[in-house]
Amino acid sequence: MRYNIISVGSELTLGLTVNTNAAYIAKRLGKEGYSCNYQIGVPDNVSLISKAIRKSLAEVDGVIITGGLGPTVDDLTREAICDAVDCKLEFQHWLADIIKERYGPRTTPLPEITYRQAYLPSGAKPIIPTIGSAPGIILEKDNRFVISLPGVPREMKEMLETDVIPWLNSRYLINETYKVRVLRTTARTEATLEESVKDIMESLENVTVGIIAFPGEIQLQLLARGNSEEEAAKAIEEAESRFIERLGPIVFGFDEDTLEEVVGRLLKKHDLTLALAESCTGGLTSKKITDISGSSDYFLGGIISYSNDAKVALLNVSEQTLARQGAVSAATALAMAVGVRNRLGSDIGLSITGIAGPTGGTPDKPVGLIYIALSHESTSYSNKYVFFGSRDIIRLKSANAALDMLRYYILDNFEQSGGM
């Protein structure tokens, strides 16, 4: 089943609100095996909303709309649906009673405008809200569907999970089942990952594969359909095995795994402790580590040494190193990693120093230049990276690269040899 998402609201098209609903719907329905053809944002305008609905119904199996179901005059999705599918709005007294009940006993009377939410396009089925007061809408016409959900994220999510997904599955997964598996990788780009596995992707008959890029992570999303659960599971397992055999440790986790969770499990498994020294990332790596419950078992602490004085005073980086090599250099990164390991008494010290931008770059040391170093009693080394993107993206990529560097160190020196 293929569908489009229409997000309604002038606040979205003006950039005043970030559209998180569309991402949630696409990701959630993707796990069910449904494909989003495209997403579009439309202002509060009946003509434009209606046009987007008609276009979607001509292209795909249906459309999911969020927003525009409230009681105010700028909530126009109901009118737009009627315009798009040529039907009328009809007042539903029983819906009005439910809305009144939701309002509850209050000292002020229910505003009359609230009852606008009791109107439905003729032939539509309401989705009764369990939170909020705006009913959702399910309308079928000519083997196509229009589903309209509130724009308030928690109301939208509740209806999507409780009503919409069961409704879709009852119509599109008859005599068919599916399996989804996400392979999470630290490949550098989508293109390099696709080049590595393109022949496998093209050879798969019952599994479709999507390559999705996130800052510091590229995912392979596998979807298999079958006539039975066993058939779909077997297809996924066979495909997964081929990708893992080809990609090796580039695949760091599956489904909901995060890099920090995987690294945490490795540290705990080998009874290793970690300390961090961060400059340009400002503590972001430490935050990611401490986002994991139980990280106090292996994480001793971090030092944010943003200034040169702090690097000298807190991490024992020599003034000569800073003067000769600069704060953004392999030598300084190494000294920071050694310094934090000694200072906090950890098994491993990890450091990050670089230029996150947008200012501060030079021809020799451009924005995005990052050095990450690791120190253990048996070895210390530094790697150089050049990342692109905004300040936030460079910081996030740097933190992920540091975690991945640590992951590889443990895999190479503890997982395969059984310990150093």
Side-chain angles (χ1 to χ4, degrees):
M1 187 275 286
R2 296 167 66 240
Y3 68 99
N4 290 343
I5 298 173
I6 299 174
S7 302
V8 175
S10 296
E11 72 279 9
L12 298 174
T13 56
L14 290 172
L16 302 177
T17 301
V18 176
N19 182 4
T20 59
N21 281 1
Y24 183 89
I25 293 169
K27 183 176 181 180
R28 186 64 186 86
L29 292 189
K31 290 182 178 179
E32 297 294 321
Y34 303 128
S35 300
C36 180
N37 188 50
Y38 67 71
Q39 305 171 15
I40 185 173
V42 184
D44 299 311
N45 180 293
V46 170
S47 176
L48 292 177
I49 302 169
S50 173
K51 182 180 178 182
I53 295 171
R54 286 196 301 270
K55 187 173 188 296
S56 292
L57 295 180
E59 296 174 342
V60 289
D61 298 300
V63 58
I64 297 179
I65 308 166
T66 65
L69 290 184
T72 58
V73 293
D74 62 345
D75 289 311
L76 301 168
T77 298
R78 289 177 289 264
E79 289 82 351
I81 292 173
C82 291
D83 185 65
V85 303
D86 192 23
C87 66
K88 295 180 179 179
L89 274 180
E90 296 176 345
F91 187 76
Q92 306 292 332
H93 291 278
W94 63 278
L95 264 183
D97 292 339
I98 291 175
I99 292 169
K100 186 177 181 180
E101 181 182 337
R102 290 280 186 276
Y103 192 74
R106 306 189 187 188
T107 55
T108 56
L110 178 64
E112 193 64 26
I113 195 173
T114 307
Y115 290 113
R116 286 191 68 227
Q117 297 171 121
Y119 282 90
L120 284 178
S122 57
K125 299 177 181 178
I127 303 175
I128 305 302
T130 56
I131 52 178
S133 61
I137 296 170
I138 296 178
L139 177 63
E140 291 181 275
K141 186 170 184 179
D142 300 331
N143 295 319
R144 297 287 191 272
F145 66 82
V146 177
I147 294 175
S148 187
L149 302 173
V152 178
R154 67 189 186 97
E155 296 178 26
M156 178 279 296
K157 291 177 182 178
E158 173 68 16
M159 286 189 184
L160 185 76
E161 299 289 344
T162 304
D163 299 277
V164 173
I165 290 175
W167 187 86
L168 290 172
N169 288 347
S170 70
R171 280 155 178 77
Y172 291 97
L173 294 181
I174 299 173
N175 298 324
E176 185 180 66
T177 188
Y178 63 91
K179 287 286 183 182
V180 175
R181 185 68 156 162
V182 178
L183 276 59
R184 309 185 73 155
T185 84
T186 53
R188 299 297 295 271
T189 67
E190 294 171 272
T192 56
L193 181 60
E194 182 174 310
E195 286 178 359
S196 300
V197 298
K198 187 176 181 181
D199 60 319
I200 298 177
M201 294 171 63
E202 292 176 344
S203 69
L204 296 172
E205 294 183 356
N206 299 320
V207 180
T208 57
V209 182
I211 299 179
I212 312 296
F214 300 91
E217 178 184 339
I218 311 291
Q219 295 182 359
L220 278 174
Q221 299 184 348
L222 282 56
L223 168 67
R225 293 182 182 277
N227 295 320
S228 67
E229 189 169 333
E230 291 75 17
E231 182 179 312
K234 183 180 179 182
I236 279 285
E237 289 171 5
E238 291 177 353
E240 178 183 325
S241 295
R242 294 180 65 186
F243 284 121
I244 291 175
E245 183 179 3
R246 176 71 61 81
L247 296 173
I250 288 176
V251 179
F252 72 83
F254 304 93
D255 298 330
E256 301 301 322
D257 285 339
T258 65
L259 197 51
E260 48 269 30
E261 286 174 335
V262 172
V263 168
R265 289 198 293 266
L266 287 171
L267 288 166
K268 192 170 183 177
K269 177 180 177 181
H270 296 287
D271 197 25
L272 294 168
T273 56
L274 172 70
L276 285 168
E278 300 186 68
S279 183
C280 62
T281 43
L284 178 60
T285 317
S286 298
K287 179 190 178 303
K288 290 168 77 70
I289 288 283
T290 54
D291 280 343
I292 306 304
S293 176
S295 57
S296 58
D297 289 344
Y298 47 81
F299 183 58
L300 301 189
I303 294 174
I304 303 172
S305 54
Y306 208 64
S307 70
N308 284 356
D309 289 344
K311 291 178 177 66
V312 173
L314 300 176
L315 298 171
N316 201 32
V317 179
S318 76
E319 294 181 353
Q320 289 80 6
T321 297
L322 290 168
R324 292 172 182 170
Q325 305 292 328
V328 180
S329 65
T332 295
L334 275 174
M336 290 169 64
V338 172
V340 78
R341 183 168 69 84
N342 291 333
R343 180 88 177 192
L344 297 184
S346 60
D347 297 312
I348 297 173
L350 196 63
S351 72
I352 306 172
T353 182
I355 305 168
T359 60
T362 67
D364 292 336
K365 295 185 177 182
V367 168
L369 175 65
I370 304 291
Y371 287 92
I372 300 172
L374 183 149
S375 176
H376 182 261
E377 64 178 358
S378 62
T379 186
S380 295
Y381 59 93
S382 175
N383 288 344
K384 175 184 176 182
Y385 302 82
V386 178
F387 297 124
F388 300 96
S390 66
R391 181 178 179 85
D392 286 344
I393 294 296
I394 290 172
R395 286 153 60 105
L396 180 57
K397 288 181 177 179
S398 301
N400 280 7
L403 292 171
D404 201 41
M405 183 175 173
L406 174 58
R407 182 177 69 94
Y408 267 98
Y409 180 75
I410 299 174
L411 290 177
D412 292 342
N413 296 284
F414 291 87
E415 283 284 288
Q416 295 178 4
S417 65
M420 296 182 69

